[in-house]
Amino acid sequence: MAGAAETGLYPFTNTSWEINICDKIDEAAEETIYEEEILYDEELLSEIRGKIDFVYPEEADTKIPSKVTASAVTAKEHRDIIIRELAKPAWLMDKGITPAQKGTIMHRFMQFCDFSRAKEDPQKELERLVEMNFLLEEEAKHVDIGKARTFLNSSLGKRVLSSQGVQKERRVTAEIEACEVFEDEQAKASASKVILQGEVDCVFEEDGELCIIDFKTDRIRDMHELKHLYMTQLKLYAKAMNQVTGMKVKECYIYSMYNNDAVLCIDSSSLG
């Protein structure tokens, strides 16, 4: 074309691209182009794989709580049986209370009363607790004095009264092996310890050793069932008391306020 300026590789075009049309691609030649030998550091690769596949050696410990209460352990083991109710406010007392709430009130009487005074005159001791605001007047109406008298006149109650060292609601904090607290496989595989906290209803000294009583108000007639429910809790109490006092625990009892009866759960032979 006359007068047109020539640009690029070809005359009369404005592009520098060269386009070729091939009928068939040489696949062997193509593979040769893209195949390259991949070089890597074996030591570095091994280190990376090690980090990716790492398993924490103490993984079982991460599933175990660092602190528990003895009652919580029991509730976890038997949560389908044990039902705990919140205390009813004082202003609802005139509308009636449940058997569980009556049990809680009875338990509080046993907690705060002076056993010697209650033995002599339980009604007068009840009145004293009301005066000292340990119990409300409405609550006091639901305290079964007869049950307290029955306990104090029992062979176990007489042993408590003759002891020179009686403690009630004794709070304990001890370090216990996780496998002694929990029964699952993770705890059994762990060598860790947990902080155990608890509150023992009654502990008394006898012949230089300790005896534990756990008052229960559960409406369960079968004493063997009651023993089964709270066996773990009492074992933990015994281990904790031994650890914090240095004294041997020779016996652990459950006293059922519902049945007016005691059952020996643990003796020195089973504690080791």
Side-chain angles (χ1 to χ4, degrees):
M1 185 177 291
E6 295 183 2
T7 60
L9 297 178
Y10 300 100
F12 315 117
T13 66
N14 293 321
T15 178
S16 59
W17 291 90
E18 180 181 351
I19 301 174
N20 295 304
I21 299 175
C22 301
D23 294 333
K24 186 177 180 181
I25 298 175
D26 187 342
E27 294 180 357
E30 187 179 52
E31 290 178 1
T32 303
I33 294 172
Y34 290 103
E35 280 186 359
E36 295 182 13
E37 183 180 0
I38 300 175
L39 300 177
Y40 55 84
D41 187 326
E42 288 282 356
E43 185 177 345
L44 178 59
L45 180 61
S46 177
E47 182 180 348
I48 293 173
R49 284 176 175 167
K51 291 182 180 297
I52 293 174
D53 298 334
F54 176 76
V55 176
Y56 182 52
E58 309 298 335
E59 185 175 3
D61 293 344
T62 65
K63 308 295 191 302
I64 298 173
S66 59
K67 184 170 68 174
V68 296
T69 63
S71 57
V73 173
T74 299
K76 181 180 179 181
E77 287 183 352
H78 305 287
R79 56 180 174 267
D80 57 327
I81 301 174
I82 300 175
I83 301 175
R84 302 190 181 277
E85 296 187 33
L86 296 175
K88 182 176 288 189
W91 56 273
L92 282 178
M93 285 295 179
D94 59 342
K95 297 183 179 180
I97 62 174
T98 66
Q101 289 163 341
K102 286 183 180 180
T104 299
I105 293 170
M106 190 67 206
H107 197 282
R108 286 174 59 200
F109 174 79
M110 299 300 290
Q111 172 185 351
F112 294 116
C113 77
D114 182 304
F115 283 156
S116 296
R117 290 182 178 184
K119 165 75 171 175
E120 184 177 335
D121 190 337
Q123 182 60 42
K124 187 175 181 180
E125 178 62 6
L126 177 60
E127 293 170 0
R128 185 182 73 87
L129 295 183
V130 172
E131 289 175 4
M132 296 185 68
N133 296 319
F134 287 114
L135 290 170
L136 299 173
E137 288 187 11
E138 288 299 319
E139 291 176 324
K141 295 177 182 178
H142 300 283
V143 173
D144 190 334
I145 294 299
K147 288 186 176 296
R149 184 184 288 111
T150 299
F151 166 71
L152 295 170
N153 287 324
S154 68
S155 59
L156 183 59
K158 290 176 181 177
R159 288 168 62 188
V160 175
L161 289 168
S162 64
S163 173
Q164 297 301 309
V166 180
Q167 300 179 65
K168 292 195 289 181
E169 302 301 316
R170 170 63 190 266
R171 295 183 179 180
V172 291
T173 301
E175 192 177 53
I176 307 290
E177 298 285 346
C179 60
E180 294 182 305
V181 179
F182 305 105
E183 297 182 350
D184 52 58
E185 293 301 321
Q186 292 172 336
K188 292 178 181 179
S190 173
S192 66
K193 297 182 179 182
V194 299
I195 301 299
L196 175 75
Q197 293 182 321
E199 198 168 87
V200 184
D201 288 347
C202 180
V203 183
F204 66 94
E205 294 182 31
E206 188 176 70
D207 300 326
E209 298 177 323
L210 297 178
C211 295
I212 291 174
I213 303 175
D214 198 13
F215 294 108
K216 297 300 181 185
T217 58
D218 308 57
R219 297 173 67 82
I220 297 175
R221 284 295 184 194
D222 190 337
M223 294 296 288
H224 293 290
E225 181 182 350
L226 205 59
K227 175 180 177 179
H228 172 69
L229 280 175
Y230 295 104
M231 178 69 79
T232 299
Q233 183 178 349
L234 286 172
K235 282 184 177 179
L236 293 176
Y237 281 158
K239 289 180 181 296
M241 287 300 299
N242 174 258
Q243 188 178 126
V244 300
T245 66
M247 297 179 67
K248 182 179 179 180
V249 177
K250 71 172 185 177
E251 292 174 341
C252 294
Y253 292 89
I254 283 178
Y255 186 86
S256 169
M257 303 301 295
Y258 182 62
N259 294 318
N260 296 317
D261 196 10
V263 59
L264 176 63
C265 296
I266 303 169
D267 58 21
S268 56
S269 63
S270 58
L271 288 171

